[in-house]
């Protein structure tokens, strides 16, 4: 578990130990501050190396406040969050056929057909945590998520983006199927994703930039 030098560590460590996980906890707040050169990509690479070194079953990375989840397999390979949402959707739809699942526009185009084949209804949302939650409430969906790592469970939970709970659901799924995260990942459709590009922009300019793009 990589806690991203944040307060999530206050919950993740005792909770996962109480669930009888053999836990290796990394990057607690006491080890901070977070290095300025740290990125999501380098954090996942480092987590994957640690997972392989420990012969762990999987690795999870929380953002500092615990509302976004990222994962790597036992081989240290990062799992895309749209693929992770598909995994959760398949599991949830086995108990709730016909349920709605909300996803954001950045997810793979294979998401909606996959949910349909699994017996559910896929509802696309514009990107953004608040927009996804709003769409989830409108559709009375049992599950929602985005490519950025926010995962919302309304089945057996309260419908907000809780990465710690999502990690527990992932551990449950891997345990119940008796396989590995690699096996679960391999059972999903092969996907190609364009990564998210982030460009530096001064705070004073950000709204003007959007208006200029819209005008063109």
């Amino acid at each position: 578990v990589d806690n991203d030098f944040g307060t999530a560590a206050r919950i993740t460590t005792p909770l996962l130990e109480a669930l009888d996980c053999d836990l290796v906890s990394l990057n607690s707040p006491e080890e901070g501050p977070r290095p300025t050169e740290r990125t999501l990509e380098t954090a996942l690479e480092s987590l994957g190396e640690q997972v392989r070194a420990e012969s762990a079953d999987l690795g999870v990375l929380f953002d500092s406040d615990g509302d976004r989840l990222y994962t790597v397999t036992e081989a240290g390979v990062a799992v895309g969050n749209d693929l992770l949402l598909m995994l959760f959707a398949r599991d949830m739809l086995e108990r709730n056929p016909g349920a709605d699942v909300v996803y954001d526009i950045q997810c793979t185009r294979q998401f909606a057909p996959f949910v349909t084949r699994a017996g559910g209804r896929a509802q696309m949302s514009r990107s953004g945590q608040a927009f996804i939650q709003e769409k989830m409430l409108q559709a009375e969906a049992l599950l929602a998520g985005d490519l950025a790592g926010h995962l919302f469970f309304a089945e057996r939970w309260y419908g907000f983006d809780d990465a710690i709970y999502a990690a527990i659901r992932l551990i449950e799924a891997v345990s119940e199927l008796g396989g590995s995260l690699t096996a679960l990942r391999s059972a999903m459709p092969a996907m190609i994703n364009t990564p998210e590009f982030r460009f530096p922009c001064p705070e004073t300019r950000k709204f003007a930039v959007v208006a200029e793009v819209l005008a063109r």
Side-chain angles (χ1 to χ4, degrees):
V1 175
D2 187 331
N3 296 288
D4 196 36
F5 303 93
T7 54
R10 301 282 186 258
I11 300 172
T12 57
T13 299
L15 179 59
L16 292 173
E17 287 178 344
L19 292 172
D20 203 26
C21 294
D22 186 6
L23 182 69
V24 177
S25 183
L26 308 171
N27 299 326
S28 66
E30 291 78 13
E31 299 174 55
R34 182 190 296 107
T36 55
E37 68 275 9
R38 177 179 165 95
T39 65
L40 176 59
E41 290 73 21
T42 60
L44 286 171
E45 286 176 10
S46 177
L47 178 60
E49 292 171 1
Q50 190 72 31
V51 165
R52 291 192 298 271
E54 298 286 346
S55 298
D57 293 303
L58 57 91
V60 295
L61 165 64
F62 300 105
D63 70 333
S64 57
D65 61 350
D67 68 347
R68 284 184 288 168
L69 176 69
Y70 305 93
T71 58
V72 299
T73 69
E74 75 282 1
V77 178
V79 179
N81 282 318
D82 46 1
L83 194 147
L84 190 63
L85 184 61
M86 291 163 76
L87 190 157
F88 285 133
R90 185 181 67 177
D91 176 64
M92 180 275 292
L93 288 167
E94 289 178 357
R95 295 182 295 276
N96 303 275
D100 287 278
V101 180
V102 173
Y103 68 106
D104 85 320
I105 194 170
Q106 294 185 81
C107 291
T108 172
R109 68 176 62 185
Q110 297 191 47
F111 189 92
F114 176 86
V115 169
T116 300
R117 290 194 301 271
R121 293 176 297 189
Q123 304 274 358
M124 184 188 288
S125 167
R126 63 189 289 192
S127 291
Q129 180 184 14
F131 300 120
I132 292 167
Q133 191 156 31
E134 180 182 36
K135 182 78 171 181
M136 184 182 188
L137 291 170
Q138 289 173 350
E140 297 182 350
L142 294 183
L143 177 67
D146 64 10
L147 202 63
H150 296 104
L151 294 158
F152 306 76
F153 289 88
E155 186 221 23
R156 296 192 284 158
W157 204 235
Y158 301 104
F160 59 90
D161 45 338
D162 185 342
I164 299 170
Y165 179 74
I168 293 169
R169 289 284 289 256
L170 177 62
I171 293 167
E172 178 189 54
V174 173
S175 299
E176 287 185 350
L177 291 173
S180 65
L181 186 52
T182 294
L184 294 179
R185 183 177 183 269
S186 299
M188 298 290 106
M191 299 185 301
I192 297 174
N193 291 84
T194 301
E196 184 178 54
F197 295 104
R198 292 178 175 267
F199 300 97
C201 179
E203 286 290 314
T204 54
R205 278 274 296 143
K206 62 183 183 181
F207 294 115
V209 167
V210 173
E212 289 165 12
V213 171
L214 180 62
R216 295 179 189 182

